Amino acid sequence: MSSGVSKTQILSMYKLLMRESQKFANYNFRSYALRRVRDAFKENKSLSEPKAIKKEFEYAKENLNIIRRQAAIGDMYRTEKLVIENLNQ
Amino acid sequence: MFRLANKIIPAINKALLQRSSSKGNGIVVLLQAQRPFSDKGNEQFSIKTEDYGRPLYFDAQATTPMDPRVLDAMMPYFVSYYGNPHSRTHAYGWESEAAVEKAREQVASLIGADPKEIIFTSGATESNNISVKGVARFYAPRKKHVVTTQIEHKCVLDSCRALEGEGFKITYLPVGPNGIIDLKELESALTPETSLVSIMMVNNEIGVKQPVAEIGALCRSKKVFFHTDAAQAMGKMPIDVNKMNIDLMSISGHKVYGPKGVGALYIRRRPRVRVEPIQSGGGQERGMRSGTVPTPLVVGLGAACELSGREMAYDHARMEKLSQRFLDKISSKLTHVIRNGDPIHTYPGCINLSFAYVEGESLLMALKDIALSSGSACTSASLEPSYVLRAIGTDEDLAHSSIRFGFGRFTTVEEVDYTAEKTIKHVERLREMSPLWEMVQEGVDIKTIQWSQH
């Protein structure tokens, strides 16, 4: 691949983003992050131009770092769970 | 459970009584006596729930949670870069200044403005004050008339009230039953004396969108400045201040998933709009808003604006999906539900519904698992029906039974379903208790009843 970003790299980035998003303590942020990552990868599935792929990949990397930091902050200031989270217990 | 019920039921009765006594009737009391609330506890009337935990957030028009990406952009300016952006003599100041200028660009590019036209303030209330009072006072020697609408936010209306005290003439335009102003009425309200027209872009209570581009064109042709309060519209719909001929625009940080305590004011440079500053001081922000610019907050506002520009299409599609789902659910189970405001020219994330024959406050109390409001947060402490609903001609009883459902970027489908189900359940429960509802079911038209005086 001429873009310099291989398919395996993209896949592992996706997995990493999903795994880290799962760590948000806040229900809303967690659901949003998972949904947003999934939708963004779906949206850019047909991207073929190497430059565009590289750009999106860099954006994903940037967001991975944000998610890691913010999930850690959220973890420090946990709250009681939402009504909806307690429903299925 | 009974302790809880004993506490709440009298409150509901009291509320019912208060409402009915204003019409001076004895019937409601009598009917209630026939059906006293017994401790046997019919399940249908029970408000006891098994659910526990924090309520779901459905009040996105009051404020929005801060996006983690925004907080992430702000953190370095809380932790490390604490310089005063106005300090010109050292690196601490320069780095803060650079951050503030970047944020200014981020805000400007979302609305198609020049960064120099953005002034940072403490929020949309301050921006509205500077716009309304500032323009009116600056042009006071020649022009002493301001036009606004009856459904503006309190801070615009109160600013106008203050101007009235200073001898200005204010026209409060009425709105149609759908909440939208009539352009012809606006045109006839404009006089050579008029210095400013202030009309909000999206209403905070009923979500209706005003025809801002048309208003802008009209104001430009009459050489009147046009101010719009875009606190509820910013980042949610495309805005271009040049295409829409907007001269001043108020922006709020905490309605675009940004921090609280910061906002911005767009103020046109060509043709130049001049305002008399409200706050005196060091002359920051081109002399229009003195006071040190709060770097972390402004960085947050900038990040929030850039983010909402990037996410606008995605968020908007989502809002439409969620609101459609919610409305479908409600209308499939409940009748006599009225949506306040225009159903088409509206922001889909704000749904204001009136549940006929149900008292809004009782419903809000029953829906304690959901953070809702009957109107704007500013007036949520009072039991008075909202002035916005009164302005669109909602009947007194329907205005009392209105609830605003506000969806946001972080609202999930599960939350929407839960809220719809709970709403349906409690509206049915409250209607089952209501003598008025019983009469409606029997085919009595409530409006034709001559309530006896006593």
Side-chain angles (χ1 to χ4, degrees):
Chain A
M1 255 197 200
S2 53
S3 68
V5 187
S6 70
K7 215 168 195 153
T8 12
Q9 272 177 303
I10 294 174
L11 255 174
S12 82
M13 176 57 82
Y14 177 73
K15 279 187 193 149
L16 260 176
L17 279 166
M18 292 301 269
R19 197 193 312 149
E20 295 299 320
S21 299
Q22 196 69 49
K23 293 182 185 162
F24 270 113
N26 179 304
Y27 163 82
N28 293 89
F29 292 163
R30 185 172 63 243
S31 324
Y32 174 77
L34 291 169
R35 172 163 48 85
R36 191 68 191 95
V37 168
R38 203 177 303 129
D39 289 347
F41 274 79
K42 225 183 274 172
E43 207 182 292
N44 293 318
K45 212 175 165 181
S46 54
L47 229 54
S48 58
E49 215 214 313
K51 247 192 194 159
I53 294 177
K54 180 89 185 148
K55 199 179 140 216
E56 289 299 324
F57 189 75
E58 288 302 317
Y59 187 57
K61 234 165 49 186
E62 212 177 288
N63 272 285
L64 178 64
N65 289 328
I66 294 179
I67 294 170
R68 280 186 170 142
R69 287 192 294 263
Q70 291 304 310
I73 290 181
D75 193 48
M76 288 186 270
Y77 302 98
R78 278 174 176 272
T79 58
E80 201 188 332
K81 280 191 173 176
L82 289 185
V83 184
I84 204 159
E85 290 176 274
N86 293 324
L87 279 185
N88 308 320
Q89 282 175 2
Chain B
M1 169 215 166
F2 296 129
R3 250 201 343 215
L4 190 65
N6 282 343
K7 244 195 240 161
I8 289 175
I9 297 305
I12 295 174
N13 277 344
K14 211 176 122 198
L16 258 173
L17 275 174
Q18 272 175 355
R19 201 181 66 179
S20 52
S21 66
S22 63
K23 289 176 192 145
N25 75 77
I27 288 182
V28 171
V29 187
L30 191 76
L31 282 170
Q32 276 182 336
Q34 281 175 353
R35 267 206 327 211
F37 189 81
S38 80
D39 271 6
K40 286 189 185 99
N42 186 336
E43 266 308 296
Q44 205 175 8
F45 297 135
S46 161
I47 57 166
K48 181 190 170 197
T49 53
E50 304 300 320
D51 306 349
Y52 59 96
R54 275 171 72 78
L56 308 180
Y57 192 71
F58 269 82
D59 203 6
Q61 275 68 45
T63 188
T64 49
M66 202 155 70
D67 194 300
R69 289 167 285 190
V70 173
L71 179 61
D72 198 69
M74 290 165 69
M75 285 307 275
Y77 297 92
F78 276 126
V79 179
S80 313
Y81 308 120
Y82 50 81
N84 184 327
H86 312 295
S87 296
R88 288 287 168 81
T89 49
H90 49 69
Y92 285 81
W94 304 333
E95 62 200 14
S96 291
E97 191 190 14
V100 168
E101 293 316 311
K102 186 186 164 207
R104 210 184 292 282
E105 264 164 47
Q106 287 169 320
V107 176
S109 76
L110 182 58
I111 57 172
D114 188 278
K116 288 190 194 114
E117 298 174 310
I118 304 294
I119 301 288
F120 290 116
T121 65
S122 66
T125 291
E126 190 184 352
S127 301
N128 283 336
N129 269 274
I130 295 176
S131 306
V132 175
K133 291 180 188 164
V135 170
R137 283 178 189 159
F138 190 89
Y139 296 95
R142 283 176 292 138
K143 296 172 161 192
K144 292 205 96 165
H145 179 223
V146 173
V147 178
T148 185
T149 71
Q150 290 175 355
I151 62 165
E152 288 306 299
H153 191 266
K154 268 264 175 299
C155 60
V156 171
L157 293 177
D158 260 25
S159 297
C160 288
R161 195 67 26 96
L163 288 175
E164 270 181 306
E166 296 168 22
F168 286 86
K169 227 184 110 227
I170 315 282
T171 305
Y172 300 95
L173 283 180
V175 291
N178 58 0
I180 294 172
I181 64 145
D182 183 356
L183 283 168
K184 287 202 189 81
E185 245 171 291
L186 171 64
E187 191 169 0
S188 59
L190 297 178
T191 67
E193 276 264 278
T194 313
S195 61
L196 182 76
V197 169
S198 177
I199 294 174
M200 72 198 324
M201 201 173 277
V202 169
N203 184 267
N204 54 325
E205 291 196 28
I206 52 177
V208 295
K209 276 195 264 189
Q210 301 294 345
V212 173
E214 285 85 348
I215 298 170
L218 177 65
C219 291
R220 181 58 54 87
S221 73
K222 300 266 177 183
K223 294 201 166 54
V224 176
F225 290 129
F226 173 39
H227 164 249
T228 185
D229 175 2
Q232 298 288 349
M234 186 73 173
K236 298 184 172 95
M237 51 194 265
I239 299 173
D240 188 311
V241 287
N242 293 317
K243 277 192 200 130
M244 292 171 162
N245 287 313
I246 295 166
D247 295 311
L248 301 108
M249 187 168 86
S250 306
I251 297 160
S252 173
H254 71 118
K255 315 263 174 173
V256 280
Y257 309 94
K260 291 160 183 61
V262 69
L265 172 64
Y266 161 78
I267 178 156
R268 185 174 286 284
R269 274 157 63 91
R270 244 169 300 214
R272 192 163 175 210
V273 182
R274 307 195 60 183
V275 296
E276 198 185 285
I278 292 180
Q279 203 156 292
S280 319
Q284 289 92 344
E285 299 299 279
R286 289 167 50 216
M288 285 184 253
R289 203 276 184 182
S290 289
T292 301
V293 172
T295 318
L297 298 183
V298 160
V299 167
L301 175 62
C305 283
E306 191 189 310
L307 200 57
S308 58
R310 191 191 276 268
E311 300 284 340
M312 196 181 288
Y314 181 82
D315 280 351
H316 201 267
R318 173 101 184 146
M319 283 306 107
E320 272 181 344
K321 189 183 143 200
L322 291 184
S323 67
Q324 200 51 49
R325 187 183 178 93
F326 181 75
L327 284 172
D328 285 347
K329 277 200 181 257
I330 294 282
S331 59
S332 71
K333 287 277 173 61
L334 294 175
T335 56
H336 298 81
V337 180
I338 297 106
R339 179 166 187 181
N340 297 309
D342 197 278
I344 297 155
H345 299 284
T346 188
Y347 168 62
C350 175
I351 299 177
N352 192 315
L353 298 177
S354 283
F355 301 92
Y357 316 112
V358 170
E359 223 258 337
E361 302 296 331
S362 325
L363 188 54
L364 279 181
M365 243 190 320
L367 293 171
K368 60 175 175 39
D369 288 335
I370 305 151
L372 289 165
S373 166
S374 55
S376 80
C378 322
T379 51
S380 63
S382 87
L383 287 173
E384 278 286 293
S386 117
Y387 65 91
V388 174
L389 293 180
R390 254 183 293 166
I392 63 171
T394 311
D395 284 339
E396 182 89 356
D397 52 335
L398 282 176
H400 267 291
S401 63
S402 80
I403 289 193
R404 179 182 69 181
F405 297 89
F407 307 100
R409 184 180 284 164
F410 303 104
T411 308
T412 66
V413 173
E414 291 76 25
E415 286 181 305
V416 170
D417 289 352
Y418 181 89
T419 304
E421 275 158 32
K422 283 275 151 145
T423 307
I424 292 165
K425 182 183 157 205
H426 286 289
V427 168
E428 280 173 349
R429 180 182 64 84
L430 288 167
R431 279 182 178 170
E432 217 44 60
M433 292 198 299
S434 159
L436 291 175
W437 177 246
E438 201 173 358
M439 289 162 80
V440 172
Q441 295 306 94
E442 284 162 6
V444 181
D445 186 354
I446 302 286
K447 288 218 170 76
T448 62
I449 295 176
Q450 293 283 316
W451 302 101
S452 62
Q453 303 286 327
H454 61 109

